[in-house]
Amino acid sequence: MSEPRLDSLPAAIETAGDYEAHAATRLDPVAWRYLQDGSGKGLTLAANRRAFEAASLLPRPLVDVRGGHTRLNLFGQTLAHPIMLAPIAYQRLFHADGECASAMAAAAQGGAFWVSSLASQTLESIADASRQTGDAPWFQLYWQGERASTLRLTRRAEAAGYPVLMLTVDAPVKLATLQLPGAVQAVNLERPLTADPPPPNGSPVFDGWMARAPTWDDLAWLRDQLRQPLILKGILHPDDAEHAIRLGCDGLVVSNHGGRVLDGAPASLDALPEILARVAGRVPVLLDSGIRDGRDVFKALSLGASAVLLGRPYIWGLTSAGAIGVAHVIRLLRDELEMSMALCGCKTLADLNMSQRGHAA
Ligand code: FNR
């Protein structure tokens, strides 16, 4: 039997990780596994953590950091800090307040929330909730199998006031699908994201799932249709970063989807330096997969990421205590980031790269 959701912050929480145990007792095992698991043997899931654990922080004492801050401008928006909430599907699985709670928490903390195409509440209601406490959320797009319905979904997000759009391209094949409880659905989609039935003797992957997946030509077409900035999520190869920039993408997210798709893919943090070298500052490069505390945020940013997306940890907060749980998780990571900056002699995010130079072996 699951424990009830809390209506105040749980006692003795010191880190975002402390929410994990609270969340585990408040979700049924199916939803918990859906949240936590990686694909395959969990190799990539583990690699993400190993990469962060292997990176170190170099203290730089005696720097005057009074007046320091974590503000940044990204894609025409001003953010109080670089810790965005990653798009995570079906948030009413985790708390009755769903995406609206995450949106209110992110906006109250002055940061960005990426609303999934697979959100369980309407794009309009989530945007309204966000505006009650701050700015509008941002929209994550999954390709809808063909151009016309994909475009209708982007236009709907635009009309609801979502200023930035991100296309996720690393998960076109779903090996296992979650059996959703009836009350939780992807309410913004015209039809479920399922595979085409393959032709006789056809492959369910090549002729089923991949028949509805986008290609580089579709990305070029989409870029032409949109007025808002377009970010591409799920890039791990420098050639793909190059291709995306040439097609006019305004930013990239180096991501392996939290180790949930191709088991054996490298840790995002390990893939970041080569991608940054190729991108050479032409567009902002963001990172996710494996961020668990503010020191991890510092590590990603000091390697050159412009911002990070936080995945499972904010859902632990959501599951435990709704919007206040999410806001608390963000605040804990912000505090840890600020502490790391202060101890490493960084007054602003622009100092992060410089402060750690000379440390590489
Ligand atoms: C995701 N992720 C994801 N990504 C996306 O672009 N659209 C989506 O709908 C979802 N849905 C989703 C559901 C669940 C339960 C998880 C855990 C993840 C991936 C997500 O945006 C992000 O890339 C990873 O969660 C980052 O890794 P960490 O922080 O969870 O390790």
Side-chain angles (χ1 to χ4, degrees), residues 46-47 55 57 73 82 90 118 129 147 157-158 165 183 209 212 216 233 237 243 276 281 292 310 319 331 352 354:
L57 302 173
N73 292 311
Y90 310 121
L118 300 174
R147 293 182 176 183
E158 189 182 7
L165 199 137
W209 283 108
R212 294 180 58 77
W216 288 108
K233 175 172 182 272
H237 195 298
H243 202 158
L276 285 166
R292 293 295 174 267
L310 180 69
T319 301
R331 187 65 251 180
L352 257 69
M354 297 302 291

Side-chain angles (χ1 to χ4, degrees), residues 2 55 124 179 202 211 275 311:
S2 306
E124 294 76 12
Q179 282 301 323
I275 291 181

Side-chain angles (χ1 to χ4, degrees), residues 86-87 89 116 140 142 168 233 257-258 260 288-290 292 311-312:
S116 169
Q140 178 266 322
Y142 272 132
T168 300
K233 175 172 182 272
H257 217 100
R260 295 169 72 81
D288 78 14
S289 302
R292 293 295 174 267
R312 296 172 181 91

Side-chain angles (χ1 to χ4, degrees), residues 79-155:
L79 302 169
H81 60 84
I83 305 160
M84 304 176 168
L85 302 188
I88 292 205
Y90 310 121
Q91 295 194 10
R92 288 186 60 241
L93 271 181
F94 308 111
H95 192 281
D97 297 343
E99 287 81 4
C100 287
S102 298
M104 291 179 81
Q109 286 287 326
F113 170 41
W114 290 103
V115 176
S116 169
S117 279
L118 300 174
S120 56
Q121 292 169 314
T122 66
L123 298 184
E124 294 76 12
S125 66
I126 302 166
D128 285 347
S130 190
R131 286 197 207 88
Q132 283 176 36
T133 55
D135 292 334
W138 300 5
F139 184 60
Q140 178 266 322
L141 176 69
Y142 272 132
W143 189 255
Q144 296 299 299
E146 44 81 33
R147 293 182 176 183
S149 57
T150 302
L151 191 59
R152 280 195 295 278
L153 186 57
T154 67
R155 294 279 187 256

Side-chain angles (χ1 to χ4, degrees), residues 5-36:
R5 303 302 193 267
L6 300 163
D7 52 17
S8 59
L9 294 179
I13 293 273
E14 287 173 8
T15 68
D18 293 338
Y19 273 105
E20 188 173 7
H22 281 273
T25 61
R26 287 177 173 80
L27 276 187
D28 72 75
V30 174
W32 183 243
R33 275 202 305 280
Y34 169 66
L35 175 64
Q36 296 289 96

Side-chain angles (χ1 to χ4, degrees), residues 275-327:
I275 291 181
L276 285 166
R278 182 72 74 85
V279 170
R282 285 174 290 172
V283 298
V285 175
L286 283 53
L287 176 131
D288 78 14
S289 302
I291 302 268
R292 293 295 174 267
D293 60 38
R295 289 173 298 279
D296 293 342
V297 179
F298 185 96
K299 288 170 182 175
L301 268 57
S302 63
L303 279 176
S306 295
V308 299
L309 283 63
L310 180 69
R312 296 172 181 91
Y314 84 87
I315 300 295
W316 302 333
L318 176 68
T319 301
S320 305
I324 52 166
V326 178

